[in-house]
Amino acid sequence: MAKKSNEWRVEVTLRREFYDPEGHAALGDIRDLGIAGVSDVRLVHVHLLTGPLTAKQVERVAARLLADPVNQVYSIGRPMPSPLKGRHAVVQVFRKPGVMDPVAASTLKGIADLGLRADSVRTGRKFLLYGKPTKGELALISDKVLHNAAIEEAFYGEVAIPHAPAVPEYKFQRREVSLLGVSDQRLLEISKQWTLSLSLEEMRTIQRHFADQGRNPTDIELECIAQTWSEHCVHKTLRGVIDFEGRIIDNLLKSTVFKATSELKKPWCVSVFKDNAGIIRFDEEFNVCFKVETHNHPSAIEPYGGAGTGIGGVIRDPLGTGLGAKPILNTDVFCFGPPDLPASKVPPGALHPKRVMKGVVSGVRDYGNRMGIPTANGAVLFDERYVGNPLVYCGNVGIIPRDRCEKASHPGDLIVVVGGRTGRDGIHGATFSSIELTEDSETVSSGAVQIGNAIEEKRVADTILQARDLNLYSCITDCGAGGLSSAVGEMGEHLGADVHLEKVPLKYHGLSYAEIWISEAQERMVIAVPPKKLKAILKLFAGENVEATVIGTFRKDRRLRLFYRGTQVGELAMEFLHNGVPRLTRKAVWRNQKFIEPRPKARKDYGPALRGILGSWNVCSKEWIIRQYDHEVQGASVLKPLVGVANDGPGDAAVIAPVLGSTRGIAVANGINPKYGDIDPYAMAASAIDEAVRQIISVGGRFDRIALLDNFCWGNTDKPDRLGSLVRAAEACYDLAKAYGAPFISGKDSLNNEFRVGDQTIAIPPTLLISAIGLVADVRKCVSMDAKKAGNVLYAVGMTYDELGGSHYYALENEVGNKVPIVRPEMGKAIFTALSGAIRKGLVRSCHDCSEGGLAVAAAEMAFAGGLGMDLYTLTVPRPEELQRDDAILFSESNSRFLVEVEPGKVAKFEAALSGVPLAPIGRVTSEDVLRIRGLLGDVIVQEKLAELKEAWQKPLRW
Amino acid sequence: MPHAKAIRVAVLRTAGTNCDVETAYAFTKVGAVAERVHVNRFVEKKGLLDGYQILALPGGFSYGDDIASGKLLANELRYRLEDEIRRFKAEGKLIIGICNGFQVLVKAGLLPGTKHEATLTNNDSGKFEDRWVYLKSGDSRCVFLKPARGATRASDLLYYLPVAHGEGKFVASSAALAEIRDKKMLALEYVGPNGEAAPEYPWNPNGSTQAIAGICDPTGRIFGLMPHPERHVEPTQHPRWTRDGLQKEGDGVRIFRNAVEFARENLI
């Protein structure tokens, strides 16, 4: 006999005497809002259980599952007595109906383990806010701190919450969109109304295509085309035709970054620009692959979820490369507005940069750590122009057996979707990413934000890799932007496919067939399974609690047919879908901007400037972030992101030895400097490549085995000047990749990074991230950047020029200048080759590249990381004769430079190894706790205690 | 190195386990045969666990640490594998729980393994942190910290290992704490860089009561610790090897070797 279904509310909270970190964090954020009326915050977890449970059984669930006997208390059916004394306000936060709740699923499992049954669980958080916030303050706190309106709803007071709010039923109806014979204006309206992000020319092409067939498209056909043709998926700007001041560039990517790779013809490049990640050779048994992507717009609206699904998404790239690579390292680079920006300067609709930063960092932390992938490398940059449109670059390296790098689906293979269920989260993500953000984005685009569940993805990855080794499938790809539409469309491009949409497992009912097809719900992969292997693979997935469902079959007539409950709802020719997008011609122009040339006065003491740069947001220690990331899981770490005598100095490239027991390694680094792009995007791109490469060199990587990734984040490239700067940057990518023999193996672009307020837009500064991956022959020969021993000789390697344009030194006075660092590739090549060899011969004790802040900052970082002083002289620093300014020698950011520590006994061998390369001894390591630098006239121009330099560097982000 | 008597280690994994590969590697390095086994296999096949001498619960976020860290896997051991675990214990076999595995052992009641209960809760710092810590093994019964043969040198009592967790603060009632001391269950303590007892943050990285980093049960055969010995088995894993040179092996190896030697002498 079926028992009666009951509703129970269980509340759990920490006992009074225990510190409540979540309550405390909320309190901190409330104070950051400038609200003083709240004295304390406590968090109560709420579980709403529905099912045939008796009071006694719920008691058992609460005691054995939901509450910890030592430090928590629970209350069933009535509000928890307040753990603290005093008046308090109550805000309850629950996910909106239909938004995935992983804790609810786990709670159901836990209840089943107790031998009981519940039918549904809804979880929420109840905040007790002590003190006397006003009604207005309470609303502000609720909106800005406690809940995110994109995915959650807030309730005020001790009100009852619906246990299982109804999601409307879906009534099947095949829908057509009237396209035939409508006006251009109407075409544009349709594009906008359906968030298709298609141009008039593209809409006309679709109109003609269907006119030829004498019918209107169905909604799913139109959506499918829009996803496939989105900038995000097809990179139509970079692959289109560009008229650059009269010069026609047919496919910018092909004529720059791809071209360098194909001309370099490196035998160790295994698969470039065709799979989800680029693959290069690692050792006799394995290859490695690398991909970096951006997740900017979702992170602007919902920083935690946006960043988490950003890392989750890029992890699925290596997992969907070849027949599946094991993810082994994450790298993350963020660009935010300054965390101390006054609230009055935050445009309406944008979140405060500090909130964005905290959310992004915790999103990456929670997803990356749960996946068990070390986050071992990264960077964070700040500029006011990122306020409305932050950049979140997430990268992942994978390792894959050499015989698993090729894949091909075949006619008759079954289309199997594995992993998470499909929901309404992430609808229109691919097309949304092509639209500028506005103050209304938060409300209108909430559906475009995906919700992550790292453990689901971990399960999927664990199982996929087993299935790969058992050879149970023939092809795989990830379900990313565009959802099933993109994944199946891509895998079936040369085959065709039949898909039965009602078979796709759903998180909840109510989704239309078109929503199922384009949903970007996370943690899903699509595999092609030969029918005879189906039974074995379904058993394997079931054994790991991962859902795997056959949703269709690959065909051989290159037609895509979509069905819902037996009715055909769409049919498209793969040829039109993949090659029908019209190629547009865009205009591009570029003139380098002229800034005022600063003329700083010579000073007696450059200590304050040095401390100022060390304490700037870009340069300061990122330890607060790095420590929150597990950077050692998988046991492969060789050079950690924090190095030195106190494990807190800023390491250059990260090095891992991914095959346990082997000493072969890879080094991963990045180069990025948008400040240079304001002056000259060509110099910015060249410098970014130089920076990424020199970091690999400074740890001991091989110069002849470095591969690069490009990630262009730009403003609206329909504007000719924005596109012009992109062309210049791409041209530098070609030139430098060729010169350094470092091929690009993969890349991505994110355009339209602009934030609109009223009739004004704020474009981000053109930002190119170059990521580099290099081979390390024997990790035991690696060096770190911290100074090692008093008495050792310090060499400046490379030439210092008067190149203070875009420097941190000028930024101290809010100046930009014009003499941006350029790259002299012939010299750079000679330096990198010689230095890399010297490190492998064991002639170098420590090595640090000179980047932001120049030689002085490099010296300071080496000194305090090693806990040792330095006596240095600017006089011998290699430089052109005309450079006779101490400030330029100290702070110029010229490329291809290193500060290198050599033992006195190895000086001769070191100099011999670097013969022909500009270098000079510029001083020694000392046991004094002072960094002392003498200027050109012999007088002391910097004399700073290590502790004070380190404090200046650590203080800003000691949150 | 081949051994006539192979010690078999089951490295238990489930959704969210993520230190299973390196934990298995650490056991392999000291001559054991280590297999990574999904918890579902033990639930499906009663008796499967009997073929192993050591059960290792590695780090990670089992089931996402939903509800509380380690809670769901703990309940699975408690309610789905009750008989298997009871038998494993009764035969005097060894169980080690590292990080999330320690949280599981504590929440399953296998540690402290007496009538008192303890828990591991949020770090005082309020956040997940990855950092290296100094540890000292005390006068405990823990077989993982004592060489099976021969006297222990002073240096054998010290370990340098990383922690990486958000919920590692050990908390127990004063009665439980007294019992932990009296019954020689206090296995590992956080110490300062020069061995100073009762250090402050960050040397006590999470604010654990009495700087407790790991405990064993009254038999010394069940051991849980927050630090990660499997992350310091190779000399290049030490954060300062580029300064101080390469050691012969990482400090964590001793813990695995002691366990395997003990098992070889007592369990087969």
Side-chain angles (χ1 to χ4, degrees):
Chain A
M1 197 178 75
K3 278 191 233 166
K4 189 170 156 278
S5 185
N6 297 311
E7 290 192 343
W8 298 95
R9 181 183 169 111
V10 183
E11 296 194 353
V12 177
T13 196
L14 286 164
R15 288 179 194 274
R16 177 186 326 223
E17 62 272 28
F18 286 93
Y19 169 74
D20 178 351
E22 287 154 298
H24 191 80
L27 183 63
D29 291 342
I30 291 167
R31 300 226 162 114
D32 281 350
L33 283 178
I35 295 172
V38 177
S39 58
D40 214 333
V41 181
R42 298 290 284 202
L43 175 67
V44 177
H45 295 277
V46 183
H47 305 263
L48 304 177
L49 314 180
T50 309
L53 293 164
T54 65
K56 213 172 150 190
Q57 287 171 336
V58 173
E59 186 78 29
R60 186 169 143 88
V61 170
R64 300 282 177 94
L65 178 66
L66 301 179
D68 188 287
V70 176
N71 66 344
Q72 290 178 318
V73 284
Y74 62 85
S75 166
I76 298 171
R78 57 193 145 80
M80 174 76 62
S82 166
L84 305 181
K85 286 205 175 97
R87 200 179 118 170
H88 61 271
V90 172
V91 180
Q92 304 187 58
V93 177
F94 283 78
R95 293 202 165 176
K96 285 181 175 171
V99 174
M100 189 185 55
D101 180 357
V103 182
S106 290
T107 308
L108 285 171
K109 177 201 151 38
I111 292 171
D113 284 342
L114 289 172
L116 302 171
R117 198 190 100 201
D119 297 325
S120 80
V121 174
R122 190 178 188 203
T123 68
R125 294 170 299 148
K126 183 169 99 175
F127 293 91
L128 310 180
L129 302 148
Y130 294 86
K132 289 178 182 164
T134 66
K135 221 172 170 181
E137 284 174 338
L138 200 57
L140 191 66
I141 291 167
S142 173
D143 282 354
K144 299 276 180 197
V145 177
L146 305 182
H147 92 289
N148 187 314
I151 54 168
E152 292 170 323
E153 50 192 346
F155 302 87
Y156 296 90
E158 295 283 4
V159 296
I161 310 293
H163 277 228
V167 180
E169 281 282 355
Y170 171 63
K171 283 211 168 51
F172 171 58
Q173 193 193 353
R174 185 175 172 281
R175 288 174 70 191
E176 284 187 2
V177 184
S178 291
L179 228 54
L180 300 195
V182 307
S183 68
D184 285 354
Q185 197 200 332
R186 179 66 195 138
L187 287 177
L188 283 173
E189 279 168 21
I190 292 170
S191 173
K192 191 163 186 203
Q193 182 190 336
W194 290 73
T195 326
L196 301 177
S197 300
L198 292 173
S199 68
L200 178 59
E201 184 56 35
E202 289 160 341
M203 287 300 290
R204 280 179 180 159
T205 305
I206 297 168
Q207 189 183 38
R208 276 197 300 274
H209 177 76
F210 283 95
D212 289 347
Q213 300 176 46
R215 67 172 178 100
N216 274 314
T218 59
D219 54 350
I220 197 169
E221 289 170 332
L222 195 55
E223 295 268 22
C224 185
I225 294 167
Q227 301 299 321
T228 314
W229 290 7
S230 67
E231 186 64 60
H232 190 98
C233 296
V234 78
H235 308 284
K236 51 200 174 192
T237 302
L238 269 62
R239 288 172 194 262
V241 179
I242 296 171
D243 174 349
F244 184 51
E245 299 175 355
R247 181 159 59 94
I248 300 296
I249 303 167
D250 184 355
N251 192 331
L252 183 63
L253 281 180
K254 223 176 211 171
S255 48
T256 57
V257 295
F258 296 180
K259 191 173 159 202
T261 305
S262 52
E263 290 176 0
L264 285 167
K265 285 198 193 69
K266 294 287 181 190
W268 43 269
C269 283
V270 177
S271 163
V272 293
F273 293 108
K274 63 172 195 191
D275 211 330
N276 288 310
I279 311 178
I280 56 171
R281 187 81 67 234
F282 177 63
D283 65 8
E284 292 308 309
E285 204 181 336
F286 295 101
N287 293 330
V288 289
C289 62
F290 192 12
K291 179 62 171 276
V292 177
E293 287 207 326
T294 53
H295 222 222
N296 304 334
H297 287 187
S299 303
I301 293 175
E302 213 290 81
Y304 180 85
T309 53
I311 191 73
V314 83
I315 290 165
R316 290 193 300 277
D317 278 323
L319 196 59
T321 294
L323 285 166
K326 180 188 174 186
I328 55 172
L329 182 135
N330 288 336
T331 165
D332 299 287
V333 175
F334 310 136
C335 302
F336 301 123
D340 55 352
L341 192 74
S344 60
K345 292 184 82 172
V346 179
L351 301 171
H352 190 276
K354 192 170 180 181
R355 170 142 190 246
V356 174
M357 177 165 164
K358 282 182 170 181
V360 165
V361 169
S362 46
V364 168
R365 172 194 69 201
D366 287 356
Y367 209 105
N369 290 354
R370 277 171 168 68
M371 282 300 293
I373 302 167
T375 300
N377 174 263
V380 192
L381 297 102
F382 300 89
D383 188 297
E384 274 195 29
R385 289 168 287 175
Y386 295 119
V387 166
N389 197 133
L391 301 183
V392 174
Y393 295 95
C394 298
N396 183 265
V397 178
I399 189 163
I400 180 167
R402 284 175 62 164
D403 63 357
R404 286 289 182 272
C405 295
E406 293 296 329
K407 61 183 164 194
S409 37
H410 306 286
D413 279 358
L414 299 164
I415 304 169
V416 179
V417 57
V418 303
R421 292 188 157 212
T422 298
R424 205 171 271 121
D425 40 333
I427 302 264
H428 288 141
T431 49
F432 167 61
S433 71
S434 312
I435 302 173
E436 70 192 11
L437 292 168
T438 73
E439 52 191 295
D440 300 323
S441 293
E442 192 182 353
T443 39
V444 300
S445 309
S446 62
V449 178
Q450 304 89 341
I451 312 294
N453 180 4
I455 298 309
E456 179 70 52
E457 183 142 309
K458 177 76 171 110
R459 268 200 290 257
V460 171
D462 288 349
T463 319
I464 290 275
L465 295 175
Q466 293 175 61
R468 175 199 72 188
D469 292 340
L470 294 167
N471 219 358
L472 293 178
Y473 56 85
S474 54
C475 192
I476 182 166
T477 200
D478 64 307
C479 243
L484 289 170
S485 166
S486 288
V488 177
E490 232 172 74
M491 285 170 84
E493 182 180 348
H494 303 291
L495 299 174
D498 276 353
V499 180
H500 299 271
L501 292 160
E502 76 284 357
K503 298 207 165 135
V504 177
L506 302 182
K507 291 176 180 168
Y508 38 84
H509 60 76
L511 271 74
S512 76
Y513 58 85
E515 287 175 319
I516 294 170
W517 186 233
I518 61 165
S519 160
E520 293 174 11
Q522 297 291 293
E523 291 93 25
R524 299 175 303 161
M525 303 288 289
V526 177
I527 53 179
V529 179
K532 63 175 193 295
K533 295 186 174 171
L534 183 66
K535 204 175 148 193
I537 204 167
L538 292 183
K539 181 168 182 247
L540 179 72
F541 276 90
E544 300 267 339
N545 304 111
V546 179
E547 220 163 357
T549 313
V550 178
I551 61 164
T553 317
F554 287 110
R555 301 159 58 89
K556 55 184 172 191
D557 62 357
R558 296 202 69 202
R559 294 194 77 76
L560 173 66
R561 299 196 304 172
L562 304 170
F563 299 89
Y564 189 80
R565 294 184 192 153
T567 305
Q568 183 170 315
V569 291
E571 177 167 3
L572 289 165
M574 284 293 190
E575 180 59 30
F576 178 71
L577 188 58
H578 289 281
N579 300 317
V581 58
R583 295 191 70 211
L584 306 182
T585 299
R586 286 184 172 77
K587 284 207 181 302
V589 295
W590 182 253
R591 294 280 171 279
N592 279 359
Q593 206 182 326
K594 259 288 187 229
F595 292 89
I596 297 163
E597 190 58 44
R599 301 187 192 285
K601 285 207 174 66
R603 291 170 198 268
K604 279 201 160 66
D605 180 6
Y606 289 100
L610 176 57
R611 273 185 276 118
I613 297 172
L614 286 168
S616 68
W617 288 116
N618 281 13
V619 175
C620 75
S621 171
K622 307 300 183 298
E623 183 171 352
W624 178 80
I625 300 172
I626 296 167
R627 289 222 184 279
Q628 294 189 59
Y629 297 154
D630 190 337
H631 44 264
E632 298 176 273
V633 61
Q634 299 192 8
S637 116
V638 172
L639 282 187
K640 303 174 205 303
L642 295 167
V643 298
V645 67
N647 300 345
D648 59 3
D652 291 327
V655 177
I656 58 168
V659 179
L660 297 178
S662 158
T663 54
R664 181 170 283 234
I666 54 168
V668 174
N670 64 75
I672 182 170
N673 197 328
K675 284 183 192 296
Y676 302 161
D678 288 334
I679 304 171
D680 178 2
Y682 184 96
M684 169 180 80
S687 297
I689 292 173
D690 195 83
E691 183 184 13
V693 169
R694 69 183 184 251
Q695 288 193 33
I696 301 250
I697 299 303
S698 55
V699 296
R702 278 173 60 171
F703 180 52
D704 59 347
R705 290 292 292 273
I706 295 173
L708 304 174
L709 307 184
D710 61 280
N711 257 274
F712 293 90
C713 282
W714 247 250
N716 180 359
T717 46
D718 288 342
K719 298 176 186 169
D721 60 325
R722 310 245 158 98
L723 187 56
S725 70
L726 197 149
V727 171
R728 292 292 294 144
E731 287 176 341
C733 287
Y734 170 78
D735 292 345
L736 268 291
K738 271 304 285 287
Y740 284 167
F744 283 93
I745 57 168
S746 185
K748 197 86 185 168
D749 54 87
S750 167
L751 311 178
N752 291 305
N753 287 292
E754 309 217 356
F755 189 88
R756 177 176 288 279
V757 187
D759 55 1
Q760 296 269 314
T761 65
I762 312 169
I764 62 158
T767 310
L768 172 65
L769 170 67
I770 296 291
S771 309
I773 181 166
L775 197 70
V776 179
D778 181 349
V779 297
R780 292 168 299 184
K781 303 281 188 208
C782 285
V783 297
S784 55
M785 54 68 70
D786 45 309
K788 300 297 190 299
K789 199 176 166 207
N792 286 348
V793 181
L794 291 158
Y795 281 87
V797 175
M799 289 287 280
T800 300
Y801 297 89
D802 182 4
E803 292 179 319
L804 283 166
S807 68
H808 275 70
Y809 180 60
Y810 280 176
L812 286 176
E813 304 294 332
N814 292 316
E815 300 277 10
V816 179
N818 300 293
K819 291 180 198 154
V820 67
I822 62 169
V823 177
R824 296 154 183 89
E826 283 311 309
M827 192 201 299
K829 209 170 148 178
I831 292 170
F832 296 155
T833 308
L835 184 57
S836 169
I839 292 174
R840 268 181 289 150
K841 284 184 205 136
L843 301 176
V844 169
R845 275 307 269 141
S846 72
C847 180
H848 195 21
D849 80 306
C850 303
S851 305
E852 293 175 294
L855 192 62
V857 164
E861 289 176 344
M862 273 175 96
F864 61 63
L868 292 165
M870 288 182 181
D871 267 338
L872 301 178
Y873 302 83
T874 59
L875 189 63
T876 53
V877 172
R879 63 187 193 282
E881 221 171 299
E882 66 272 18
L883 175 52
Q884 297 297 342
R885 292 182 58 106
D886 278 322
D887 59 353
I889 299 172
L890 291 176
F891 300 116
S892 171
E893 299 181 6
S894 295
N895 284 296
S896 313
R897 292 183 309 153
F898 301 87
L899 189 52
V900 181
E901 177 187 356
V902 179
E903 286 170 8
K906 290 183 176 169
V907 158
K909 278 186 178 167
F910 175 74
E911 290 191 6
L914 271 78
S915 69
V917 159
L919 89 168
I922 61 161
R924 281 184 188 262
V925 180
T926 69
S927 54
E928 231 185 321
D929 53 359
V930 170
L931 172 66
R932 189 178 299 110
I933 306 178
R934 286 191 166 78
L936 295 170
L937 302 174
D939 47 339
V940 173
I941 54 170
V942 173
Q943 172 143 320
E944 292 287 322
K945 284 215 159 78
L946 295 186
E948 282 167 24
L949 292 173
K950 192 167 176 178
E951 176 62 19
W953 180 70
Q954 289 186 326
K955 199 177 167 209
L957 275 179
R958 196 185 279 136
W959 287 356
Chain B
M1 41 183 160
H3 282 286
K5 294 189 281 186
I7 295 303
R8 297 185 69 216
V9 183
V11 178
L12 185 74
R13 64 181 189 86
T14 189
T17 304
N18 64 31
C19 302
D20 46 331
V21 174
E22 54 270 41
T23 302
Y25 173 74
F27 275 110
T28 314
K29 210 176 155 70
V30 295
V33 173
E35 288 164 19
R36 298 182 298 123
V37 188
H38 197 287
V39 67
N40 287 359
R41 303 295 88 73
F42 291 115
V43 173
E44 285 158 12
K45 195 172 168 190
K46 300 288 170 187
L48 183 63
L49 188 59
D50 297 338
Y52 299 91
Q53 289 80 41
I54 300 174
L55 174 64
L57 284 75
F61 295 80
S62 52
Y63 300 106
D65 281 353
D66 292 341
I67 300 175
S69 52
K71 187 77 177 189
L72 285 156
L73 184 57
N75 272 12
E76 212 165 3
L77 296 185
R78 204 171 205 171
Y79 302 112
R80 299 246 191 224
L81 293 170
E82 199 181 358
D83 294 343
E84 333 287 305
I85 298 287
R86 190 186 302 128
R87 205 158 55 235
F88 203 81
K89 267 177 72 177
E91 289 170 5
K93 292 177 172 179
L94 305 185
I95 304 179
I96 182 171
I98 300 166
C99 195
N100 192 240
F102 184 23
Q103 293 163 340
V104 171
L105 292 178
V106 165
K107 289 174 190 185
L110 290 162
L111 285 175
T114 63
K115 64 180 180 8
H116 294 292
E117 288 195 88
T119 197
L120 290 154
T121 187
N122 303 297
N123 295 351
D124 277 354
S125 69
K127 56 184 186 283
F128 181 103
E129 283 194 311
D130 178 337
R131 60 169 71 249
W132 283 66
V133 293
Y134 295 90
L135 300 149
K136 185 170 168 290
S137 63
D139 175 25
S140 79
R141 293 176 192 275
C142 183
V143 305
F144 293 83
L145 299 174
K146 274 197 190 109
R149 282 168 293 238
T152 312
R153 291 167 302 168
S155 63
D156 288 339
L157 301 176
L158 296 172
Y159 297 84
Y160 188 47
L161 301 175
V163 292
H165 60 248
E167 298 178 38
K169 178 181 179 170
F170 185 85
V171 174
S173 65
S174 48
L177 290 168
E179 184 187 55
I180 285 168
R181 293 225 173 251
D182 294 349
K183 294 192 177 164
K184 298 192 172 183
M185 293 154 66
L186 204 173
L188 271 183
E189 290 169 70
Y190 299 108
V191 293
N194 300 306
E196 305 90 332
E200 300 278 311
Y201 177 84
W203 306 117
N204 177 345
N206 45 37
S208 279
T209 314
Q210 299 184 7
I212 293 175
I215 59 168
C216 62
D217 79 335
T219 71
R221 297 183 183 207
I222 303 180
F223 174 40
L225 73 167
M226 286 313 297
H228 286 276
E230 82 286 6
R231 292 187 188 181
H232 193 197
V233 297
E234 300 293 348
T236 49
Q237 291 165 333
H238 191 292
R240 292 188 303 278
W241 71 267
T242 57
R243 299 184 72 78
D244 307 338
L246 292 163
Q247 302 170 347
K248 195 167 137 278
E249 62 183 24
D251 290 358
V253 175
R254 304 203 306 268
I255 290 176
F256 300 99
R257 184 179 294 125
N258 292 340
V260 171
E261 283 182 358
F262 179 90
R264 195 169 286 130
E265 285 174 17
N266 298 283
L267 296 175
I268 51 173

